[in-house]
Amino acid sequence: MTEKVPKKLVVPCSGIGKVHGLLGREAMLELVERQHPGDFDTVCLALLVVGDPETNAKIQQQPCITVDGCPKACAKKNVELAGGTVEHALWVVGALKRHRGVNAGTGTALSDDGWEIAAEIAGDIAAGCPDAGKKE
Amino acid sequence: MDINPKVGIICCSGEEIPAGTVSRLAVRRVLEVLRPDRTVTLCLPLFLAGGEEEREFARRHPTISVDGCGKLCAKRGTEMYSGTVAVSLDVAEILGDQYPDLHRSTRQKSLDDKAAVWLVAERIAVEVDRLLGGDSPVTETSDQAATAGCACSQPAPAMNLEIHGQPVPVNGLAMIFEHLRDRGVAPTEDSGEALLETVRIYHPVPEEESGLYREALLRAYQHFWRMT
């Protein structure tokens, strides 16, 4: 009998001001709803902000992948403050550097190119070695 | 004393539930279209990840929290780290069970998703006006970011109506047209009044210019239908 591997938690910052936050959020949804629903899940970052005990416990028991849109690194910092282990910290800016000059959309809606970039970030996470999205 | 006070809006953006997406999009709608010159926002997790400047947010602005569920993380987080909120809105409570087909991803926007965002955004706009003394919406198109901290959403590009031969910018007019089209409002003469009444919610229209606006809106809406 094989032991069930816990789902990895993908926690995006969902920053409201720029397209970067939406890219991270949609990349997470692409992964947990479409590409690999059996392998990845998410939690509300806001629940970590208020110290929700159930969410903190979940974060502490499952490996986490954070996706941040800006250098403030809200997702990474909040997961760490809640006692979670950040297995990979992705930076949307890193992914956008592979697409210089491309209009990815806005904080409200992604463009067609934006959807491709979100899918690419999801692919980076699924591949387990998201070097392309590393902070420089 | 701040001579141009703005209302702060903090949403939860809850990733686990569709109402979290509604909270986020409704706040963006208010910042971009409905009240671009009267509102600012900040990412909720910045209260923990940021510094004292971010934590002063609710002390500088009368603040509305917009939460996707009854856990009220935006309200609680704001009050834990920044200050008391003036108004707490719960999206789940506002929507009730009238919009069952909601999605977390903006990829699958349904009619329910769109209607829910409008409903919540309009409720936020009402609360903004109430907090600022009930003045009518401002008319000018702002070129400033309507945010604080790292957030920097811009008002939606305005479309111009021609009134008295002069271009008059109306923020978010294309979005309003899209909303009306989705609700089945056809671009016929009969729709002039519906167009005028909808735009009047977001843009002051002098009573004596109602006829001019009705005609200009109908022409613009017919053009929108042909082009989309």
Side-chain angles (χ1 to χ4, degrees):
Chain A
M1 191 175 126
T2 56
E3 195 176 327
K4 191 181 175 193
V5 178
K7 287 184 180 183
K8 292 184 180 183
L9 295 175
V10 183
V11 184
C13 74
S14 292
I16 193 167
K18 297 179 181 176
V19 69
H20 303 60
L22 183 59
L23 279 168
R25 181 185 183 87
E26 292 293 353
M28 175 277 291
L29 292 170
E30 170 78 13
L31 203 61
V32 304
E33 290 189 345
R34 293 160 64 98
Q35 290 188 11
H36 298 280
D39 301 323
F40 297 93
D41 200 357
T42 192
V43 294
C44 289
L45 181 54
L47 282 168
L48 293 180
V49 173
V50 297
D52 178 69
E54 196 181 323
T55 309
N56 280 4
K58 208 169 170 184
I59 281 284
Q60 289 161 11
Q61 288 161 12
Q62 293 167 249
C64 300
I65 296 159
T66 55
V67 188
D68 275 298
C70 84
K72 301 254 184 181
C74 289
K76 181 173 184 286
K77 285 182 188 170
N78 277 277
V79 166
E80 288 173 344
L81 285 168
T85 303
V86 177
E87 190 174 86
H88 290 295
L90 267 80
W91 307 87
V92 171
V93 171
L96 282 172
K97 281 180 180 168
R98 298 188 298 237
H99 302 272
R100 283 184 196 280
V102 164
N103 174 11
T106 68
T108 301
L110 297 183
S111 66
D112 289 345
D113 285 333
W115 284 113
E116 282 185 26
I117 294 167
E120 199 175 287
I121 295 170
D124 285 345
I125 298 170
C129 299
D131 291 342
K134 273 189 178 170
K135 191 179 187 182
E136 289 183 355
Chain B
M1 183 180 159
D2 192 348
I3 57 167
N4 185 23
K6 294 189 176 185
V7 171
I9 313 178
I10 303 279
C11 68
C12 76
S13 287
E15 286 84 4
E16 293 183 63
I17 53 172
T21 300
V22 173
S23 80
R24 175 193 166 82
L25 292 178
V27 169
R28 293 231 14 135
R29 179 75 45 85
V30 174
L31 292 163
E32 290 180 311
V33 180
L34 302 188
R35 300 294 182 269
D37 300 293
R38 319 185 104 198
T39 50
V40 292
T41 191
L42 186 76
C43 300
L44 174 66
L46 263 178
F47 284 140
L48 264 182
E52 193 50 38
E53 189 188 344
E54 282 84 8
R55 286 191 277 275
E56 281 181 6
F57 187 83
R59 296 193 281 272
R60 283 203 308 261
H61 306 282
T63 297
I64 300 172
S65 58
V66 184
D67 279 293
C69 76
K71 291 184 178 176
L72 302 182
C73 294
K75 176 181 188 286
R76 289 163 54 209
T78 302
E79 296 195 333
M80 281 167 78
Y81 300 105
S82 187
T84 307
V85 303
V87 176
S88 164
L89 298 178
D90 177 351
V91 170
E93 195 177 279
I94 293 170
L95 299 182
D97 55 5
Q98 58 183 325
Y99 300 111
D101 187 27
L102 298 178
H103 301 88
R104 288 193 292 178
S105 173
T106 58
R107 184 192 288 274
Q108 303 141 294
K109 266 186 289 187
S110 66
L111 285 178
D112 276 3
D113 286 309
K114 292 177 184 177
V117 170
W118 275 103
L119 184 66
V120 176
E122 286 171 2
R123 174 67 188 279
I124 298 169
V126 166
E127 297 296 346
V128 169
D129 293 343
R130 197 175 60 77
L131 287 173
L132 293 181
D135 298 332
S136 59
V138 290
T139 56
E140 61 268 28
T141 304
S142 169
D143 58 1
Q144 291 183 320
T147 58
C150 78
C152 62
S153 59
Q154 297 283 339
M159 270 176 74
N160 288 332
L161 291 178
E162 195 176 304
I163 306 292
H164 291 308
Q166 298 294 318
V168 175
V170 179
N171 278 339
L173 188 56
M175 207 175 287
I176 293 170
F177 282 169
E178 187 183 345
H179 174 59
L180 291 171
R181 184 194 57 195
D182 291 345
R183 285 173 53 190
V185 177
T188 61
E189 294 290 334
D190 298 341
S191 303
E193 201 56 34
L195 285 164
L196 180 63
E197 289 312 309
T198 306
V199 167
R200 210 192 277 276
I201 295 170
Y202 313 112
H203 180 93
V205 177
E207 198 53 48
E208 65 276 15
E209 293 182 350
S210 293
L212 287 171
Y213 268 84
R214 192 183 299 109
E215 286 174 26
L217 282 166
L218 192 55
R219 278 198 305 275
Y221 190 49
Q222 288 167 340
H223 180 70
F224 174 82
W225 267 68
R226 283 195 299 273
M227 302 303 290
T228 57

